[in-house]
Amino acid sequence: MALVTTKEMFKKAYEGGYAIGAFNVNNMEIVQGITEAAQEQKAPVILQVSAGARKYAKHSYLVKLVEAAIEETGVDLALHLDHGADFEICKSCIDGGFTSVMIDGSHHSFEDNIAVTRRVVEYAHDRGVVVEAELGRLAGIEDAVNVSEADSSYTDPAQVEEFVTRTGVDSLAIAIGTSHGAYKFKPGQKPQLRFDILEEVERRLPGFPIVLHGASSVMQEYVQMVNQYGGQMPGAIGIPEEMLREAAKMAVCKINIDSDIRLAMTAAIRRHLVEHPDHFDPRQYLADARDAVKEVLPALDNLERALEAAKALLKSSGPSRKERTACRSAGVSASRSAAVLLRVCPVRGLWRYGCGGSMRVGYTVRRFGRPVRTGGGSADSRRRSWPPLFPRQAGSRCRY
């Protein structure tokens, strides 16, 4: 396998109605945790590097770590520059082996944003690299990006067509209410995302991949763990997972995750040092941190294969004899839905749930590290869960 661009990833994600996780990396343990999880689930993944990461770990170290991960895992990876501040930074990453860059001209006027984005696009496309840009400004703090709530602004859907046409950009980050950092909403405040803006952008740019920045869910189990073991993160709140799922059903093909990785690592290290005060070997607590990163990754099951298998199976006459036997062994109905999942991931991790008065089959996977107990499942089903990966039957009122 090798470094790839996000072009084909986004095409499949858009057609399949799901989003690909893009994870900020800063050191070896984060790269290993993400890519090992991707290898286990046979899933494509995007690793992205911020200005802070390049300053901390240096460009060459990060590129070589990613190359080593590809060699070790055989996973297809896209290496992406997150929030490139200007043309020179984007050029440096394009020349230095990145397959995707983001030029963040959102702090400029509309015309200046178009000008700098177009310049990056021309340079990148000549070298086979794809470009992400941004319209609208997200509030919050992430490394060198620091935008106050007063200076933030929603994306204006009336501008997106002109911007994409004049720049030739490959994907677009928009502002619909997400924000950088671990404090996205105030305690007691109802989380709100402007899905009306996303819907209008999708209408104006049919088939075009949209990106959500600042989309960490800020998992409360890790916030509580940080606080329990000596940290102080009161009131840390992220984006509810159901909102991210809704966005992924629409035009959003890439969801950026950073704060969740930081939280998981910090929580794991804090707990390790409290429980093992005699440990002083960094490998001991960093191993726990690496394992925590693997637990955070959202739904790195093979969505592409599942959706392709579902489409193919729905055209067929039904499950095969082998699939029916596997269904009986698992104690589930030999329906087409079950056969889809068994064909993709034979028997392992199946759970049942009720829908419209009939029992159906789902597949237990990790979703943002959040424990979910699924109806009708065994003790093993208290894992992370993603909604079933097959199309719902006609006439069903269930929403997956």
Side-chain angles (χ1 to χ4, degrees):
M1 300 297 181
L3 281 172
V4 298
T5 71
T6 57
K7 205 169 189 69
E8 189 63 23
M9 288 185 186
F10 289 168
K11 181 177 182 295
K12 292 181 178 181
Y14 197 101
E15 292 173 353
Y18 61 88
I20 296 172
F23 306 96
N24 286 70
V25 298
N26 302 283
N27 62 14
M28 182 184 75
E29 285 73 24
I30 298 177
V31 172
Q32 288 177 329
I34 294 168
T35 55
E36 287 173 10
Q39 179 189 32
E40 291 174 5
Q41 302 295 341
K42 295 182 174 60
V45 69
I46 301 168
L47 301 184
Q48 53 187 29
V49 174
S50 66
R54 293 179 80 229
K55 181 179 179 180
Y56 170 77
K58 307 303 180 186
H59 178 107
S60 296
Y61 280 105
L62 291 168
V63 171
K64 295 304 180 183
L65 282 172
V66 172
E67 290 176 352
I70 293 172
E71 182 178 342
E72 287 292 320
T73 64
V75 174
D76 282 335
L77 300 176
L79 180 56
H80 175 75
L81 170 66
D82 190 26
H83 288 288
D86 54 41
F87 173 81
E88 293 304 325
I89 291 175
C90 291
K91 179 180 181 297
S92 174
C93 289
I94 293 167
D95 294 341
F98 283 52
T99 59
S100 175
V101 296
M102 176 196 182
I103 173 63
D104 185 358
S106 61
H107 54 289
H108 294 306
S109 68
F110 182 69
E111 288 298 328
D112 288 346
N113 192 355
I114 287 177
V116 68
T117 300
R118 182 62 196 171
R119 186 182 179 197
V120 172
V121 167
E122 290 174 350
Y123 189 84
H125 284 184
D126 285 344
R127 291 156 181 80
V129 175
V130 296
V131 180
E132 171 188 329
E134 182 168 349
L135 268 182
R137 299 193 73 189
L138 273 68
I141 301 174
E142 180 185 4
D143 293 343
V145 179
N146 188 339
V147 180
S148 68
E149 189 171 345
D151 290 332
S152 65
S153 61
Y154 289 114
T155 299
D156 182 357
Q159 295 180 330
V160 297
E161 291 173 281
E162 180 182 359
F163 185 87
V164 169
T165 300
R166 291 175 61 186
T167 61
V169 74
D170 300 286
S171 61
L172 185 65
I174 65 172
I176 62 171
T178 59
S179 60
H180 295 297
Y183 300 88
K184 303 181 188 300
F185 302 99
K186 297 177 182 178
Q189 178 185 4
K190 183 180 179 181
Q192 296 282 358
L193 294 185
R194 291 289 303 275
F195 285 107
D196 58 319
I197 293 177
L198 178 56
E199 288 174 356
E200 182 61 16
V201 169
E202 183 179 23
R203 187 186 71 80
R204 291 172 177 266
L205 296 174
F208 192 81
I210 299 301
V211 178
L212 277 191
H213 284 243
S216 286
S217 57
V218 187
M219 295 168 288
Q220 291 304 296
E221 58 264 39
Y222 289 122
V223 173
Q224 292 167 11
M225 193 185 301
V226 167
N227 292 334
Q228 178 182 351
Y229 292 101
Q232 294 184 5
M233 293 190 66
I237 300 173
I239 307 298
E241 293 174 24
E242 59 271 18
M243 290 187 174
L244 298 178
R245 293 192 187 106
E246 187 65 28
K249 292 177 185 177
M250 301 166 71
V252 173
C253 297
K254 173 175 175 269
I255 291 179
N256 286 13
I257 306 295
D258 187 8
S259 295
D260 283 342
I261 298 289
R262 300 182 186 190
L263 266 176
M265 291 192 74
T266 301
I269 291 171
R270 282 186 174 277
R271 180 172 64 181
H272 184 103
L273 293 177
V274 169
E275 294 179 349
H276 304 281
D278 57 320
H279 285 183
F280 64 94
D281 185 343
R283 292 172 297 184
Q284 293 172 314
Y285 53 81
L286 289 177
D288 282 0
R290 180 175 57 199
D291 291 341
V293 170
K294 292 178 68 172
E295 290 297 312
V296 167
L297 300 194
L300 282 182
D301 57 329
N302 198 333
L303 288 171
E304 296 176 48
R305 282 201 316 162
L307 289 161
E308 289 169 2
K311 292 175 183 177
L313 192 62
L314 288 175
K315 295 179 180 179
S316 72
S317 58
S320 67
R321 176 183 295 180
K322 183 178 180 180
E323 289 165 340
R324 288 196 296 270
T325 301
C327 285
R328 286 195 295 271
S329 298
V332 297
S333 169
S335 64
R336 290 189 179 189
S337 300
V340 169
L341 295 169
L342 290 169
R343 181 174 290 179
V344 175
C345 273
V347 182
R348 183 176 66 84
L350 291 177
W351 51 274
R352 304 184 223 177
Y353 71 101
C355 177
S358 62
M359 293 302 290
R360 302 285 292 282
V361 180
Y363 172 45
T364 304
V365 295
R366 292 172 181 167
R367 175 61 182 171
F368 285 98
R370 190 70 58 82
V372 176
R373 183 185 295 274
T374 55
S378 65
D380 289 339
S381 66
R382 288 176 292 173
R383 301 186 214 166
R384 285 74 177 161
S385 298
W386 176 264
L389 305 181
F390 41 82
R392 58 182 167 137
Q393 293 180 346
S396 170
R397 294 187 179 181
C398 287
R399 295 203 54 187
Y400 302 149

